């Protein structure tokens, strides 16, 4: 019966010659002209992802955690092994052998091949090698960060020339669809095969709180689009209040951030990266699709993020430009602004280092300090409420602002120094 089931699940195929990773192998040696050398960072990244997937090991019983733990001591051997595989176009034969496991399906006849779901457990060496082979294939045409930024400059300039918010709605809708699909894919990987959380560190030390608060403010702050959206609404009075558009959307954002943050940390632990999509496997098409969709979403929301700054700048300088040259002036202003952001992206490619710093300085100022001061000034002669509660409330906000500003800047700058020093 077992032979019948296996034959039904795996019918003998015709003679097929599998494709090679490289076109040829040099006799008496390896072909070093096509595959690039494997770096330690590439192996560490792949081992981290394999370890976090919590998959069962193959026939050798060696889990990816073992490779990850021993890599600092055997890095040269492991890197040389993978490097030789990629350069020669061959994997060890033992890596190609798997352990077949048949999972029983209910309500099916025992002797039917359809009553079983076959799973083949492969050695972690093959999984890592396959991921590196795909990475080597995808990076066979390598471009620098400057080249990618230059490629995006013209599309970003054209997108920023859209000057009315209603015309940016289709782009925002497409970006939201991409993010929704990415969210579903990320949930698929995050909520599947959750590891044992009994040893997960549930709370960080006090030294990590300032950076967390700064990053949270950076993520939650949407001051650059709040007022433009309210001004463009048909019924602006529905923007605030209870429930109101602002409160409903912010509540949804808080829930999404909380769910993904908690379960993402439970899934990947200390290995979780700045964006959880970076923890997704590199050798699976579904995960790669999520990363591409995130890039598309960021691209199409660029115009919306630039809408308010361009509107404010033009209000300041538009009166100094003749009516005849208004259109040309807008084009030049938007082109120069986009070019400056691209130059900044080239100068600081690792934006993760600046998120906490920007949140601590600029977004805390825009979201906490300025609103509190404006409210006090506006209501100073109009009434500060019973027992002057508005002054007390805003003083508490100003105290929080000072704490976030000082501690967030110190923590962010310290991490930047450590990262650049290493």
């Amino acid at each position: 019966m077992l032979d019948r089931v296996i034959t039904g699940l795996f019918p003998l195929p015709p003679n097929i010659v599998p494709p090679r990773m490289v076109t040829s192998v040099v006799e008496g040696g390896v072909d070093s002209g096509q595959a690039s050398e494997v770096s330690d960072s590439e192996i560490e990244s792949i081992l981290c992802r394999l370890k976090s997937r919590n998959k069962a090991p193959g026939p050798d019983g060696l889990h990816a955690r073992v490779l990850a733990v021993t890599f600092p001591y055997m890095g040269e051997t492991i890197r040389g092994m993978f490097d030789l595989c990629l350069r020669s176009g061959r994997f060890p034969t033992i890596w190609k052998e798997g352990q077949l496991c048949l999972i029983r399906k209910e309500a099916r006849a025992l002797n039917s091949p359809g009553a079983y779901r076959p799973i083949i457990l492969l050695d972690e060496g093959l999984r890592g090698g396959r991921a590196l082979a795909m990475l080597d294939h995808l990076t066979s045409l390598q471009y620098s960060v400057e080249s990618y930024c230059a490629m995006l400059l013209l599309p970003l300039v054209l997108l920023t020339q859209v000057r009315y918010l209603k015309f940016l709605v289709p782009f925002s809708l497409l970006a939201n669809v991409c993010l929704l699909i990415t969210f579903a894919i990320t949930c698929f990987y995050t909520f599947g095969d959750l590891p044992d959380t009994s040893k997960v560190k549930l709370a960080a030390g006090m030294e990590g709180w300032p950076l967390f608060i700064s990053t949270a403010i950076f993520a939650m702050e949407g001051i650059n689009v709040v007022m433009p959206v309210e001004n463009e609404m048909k019924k602006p009075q529905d923007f605030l209040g209870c429930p109101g558009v602002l409160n409903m959307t912010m509540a949804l954002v808080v829930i999404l951030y909380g769910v993904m943050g908690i379960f993402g940390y439970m899934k990947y632990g200390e290995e979780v990266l700045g964006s959880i999509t970076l923890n997704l496997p590199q050798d699976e098409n579904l995960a790669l699709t999520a990363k591409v969709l995130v890039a598309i979403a960021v691209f199409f929301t660029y115009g919306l993020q630039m809408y308010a700054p361009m509107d404010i700048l033009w209000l300041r300088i538009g009166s100094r430009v003749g009516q005849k040259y208004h259109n040309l002036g807008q084009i030049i202003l938007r082109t120069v602004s986009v070019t400056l952001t691209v130059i900044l992206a080239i100068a600081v490619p690792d934006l993760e280092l600046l998120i906490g710093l920007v949140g601590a300085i600029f977004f805390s100022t825009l979201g906490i300090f300025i609103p509190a001061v404006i409210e006090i000034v506006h209501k100073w002669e109009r009434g500060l409420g019973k027992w002057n509660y508005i002054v007390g409330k805003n003083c508490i906000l100003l105290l929080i602002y000072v704490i976030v500003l000082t501690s967030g800047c110190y923590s962010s700058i310290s991490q930047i120094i450590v990262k650049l020093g290493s």
Side-chain angles (χ1 to χ4, degrees):
M1 184 184 70
L2 182 60
D3 292 339
R4 177 183 176 183
V5 170
I6 294 178
T7 303
L9 291 173
F10 303 98
L12 294 177
N15 294 329
I16 299 177
V17 179
R20 301 186 58 81
M21 291 190 297
V22 294
T23 55
S24 62
V25 179
V26 179
E27 294 184 1
V30 295
D31 184 5
S32 60
Q34 298 194 26
S36 57
E37 291 186 357
V38 180
S39 65
D40 288 344
S41 60
E42 291 173 343
I43 298 179
E44 289 178 351
S45 175
I46 290 174
L47 290 179
C48 175
R49 287 170 172 82
L50 289 176
K51 181 180 67 172
S52 62
R53 290 170 65 184
N54 197 27
K55 299 294 184 180
D60 61 2
L62 189 65
H63 198 277
R65 292 192 183 94
V66 178
L67 293 176
V69 171
T70 58
F71 183 76
Y73 310 98
M74 301 178 58
E76 188 69 26
T77 301
I78 296 176
R79 185 178 67 250
M81 176 180 60
F82 284 128
D83 189 44
L84 181 61
C85 291
L86 292 179
R87 293 171 60 192
S88 64
R90 295 175 178 175
F91 284 126
T93 304
I94 193 173
W95 282 4
K96 303 174 186 178
E97 298 176 358
Q99 181 177 353
L100 176 62
C101 298
L102 300 178
I103 300 179
R104 179 82 165 85
K105 297 180 182 178
E106 297 182 358
R108 300 286 181 91
L110 290 176
N111 59 352
S112 172
Y116 303 91
R117 182 163 67 95
I119 294 179
I120 298 180
L121 303 178
L122 299 174
D123 290 338
E124 296 292 354
L126 179 60
R127 295 178 184 177
R130 185 174 58 183
L132 288 170
M134 178 174 290
L135 180 64
D136 182 76
H137 171 71
L138 294 176
T139 58
S140 57
L141 295 176
Q142 295 183 356
Y143 299 97
S144 62
V145 174
E146 294 80 1
S147 300
Y148 284 111
C149 291
M151 295 176 190
L152 288 173
L153 178 59
L154 180 59
L156 289 175
V157 169
L158 296 177
L159 181 62
T160 313
Q161 300 304 322
V162 180
R163 304 172 190 175
Y164 298 97
L165 192 61
K166 63 180 180 181
F167 296 134
L168 291 173
V169 171
F171 298 103
S172 179
L173 178 62
L174 179 59
N176 289 334
V177 172
C178 294
L179 289 177
L180 183 61
I181 298 174
T182 304
F183 179 75
I185 296 175
T186 305
C187 288
F188 171 77
Y189 284 102
T190 302
F191 294 103
D193 297 329
L194 283 175
D196 182 17
T197 58
S198 60
K199 299 182 180 179
V200 175
K201 186 179 179 182
L202 298 181
M206 291 297 296
E207 67 278 0
W209 286 36
L211 183 61
F212 163 75
I213 296 175
S214 303
T215 305
I217 293 176
F218 179 91
M220 300 296 298
E221 185 62 61
I223 192 66
N224 61 325
V225 294
V226 168
M227 293 186 64
V229 171
E230 182 181 8
N231 294 335
E232 295 288 340
M233 287 180 62
K234 188 176 182 180
K235 297 180 179 180
Q237 63 274 15
D238 294 338
F239 188 75
L240 299 176
C242 184
V245 175
L246 179 62
N247 291 331
M248 293 177 61
T249 53
M250 291 306 295
L252 178 61
V253 169
V254 169
I255 293 173
L256 292 178
Y257 273 129
V259 170
M260 293 307 301
I262 293 173
F263 285 93
Y265 179 72
M266 291 173 60
K267 172 72 174 183
Y268 300 107
E270 296 297 331
E271 285 79 19
V272 67
L273 300 177
S275 174
I276 195 171
T277 54
L278 298 177
N279 286 96
L280 301 183
Q282 291 186 349
D283 57 342
E284 297 185 13
N285 293 331
L286 187 62
L288 293 176
T289 301
K291 298 180 181 182
V292 172
L293 290 177
V294 167
I296 294 175
V298 172
F299 173 80
F300 282 117
T301 55
Y302 184 87
L304 183 62
Q305 297 294 328
M306 292 290 288
Y307 174 81
M310 296 299 97
D311 191 40
I312 294 173
L313 286 175
W314 185 249
L315 287 176
R316 298 294 183 273
I317 66 176
S319 58
R320 305 178 184 180
V321 181
Q323 185 67 29
K324 180 180 178 180
Y325 299 102
H326 268 203
N327 185 48
L328 179 61
Q330 286 251 35
I331 294 175
I332 294 175
L333 172 64
R334 294 169 183 272
T335 302
V336 171
S337 300
V338 174
T339 304
L340 290 177
T341 61
V342 172
I343 293 175
L344 178 62
I346 294 174
V348 189
D350 194 354
L351 293 179
E352 184 179 351
L353 296 175
L354 294 180
I355 287 179
L357 185 61
V358 172
I361 299 177
F362 299 104
F363 286 100
S364 62
T365 303
L366 288 173
I368 301 177
F369 177 77
I370 293 180
V373 173
I374 290 177
E375 186 180 25
I376 293 177
V377 172
H378 176 70
K379 295 190 175 182
W380 187 263
E381 296 181 353
R382 295 174 175 83
L384 297 173
K386 191 175 182 179
W387 299 315
N388 294 332
Y389 82 92
I390 293 179
V391 176
K393 177 197 68 174
N394 288 326
C395 287
I396 295 175
L397 289 176
L398 292 177
L399 178 61
I400 295 175
Y401 164 73
V402 173
I403 295 174
V404 171
L405 180 64
T406 54
S407 60
C409 288
Y410 174 78
S411 178
S412 301
I413 294 175
S414 299
Q415 287 206 2
I416 291 175
I417 294 175
V418 172
K419 184 68 177 290
L420 295 179
S422 60

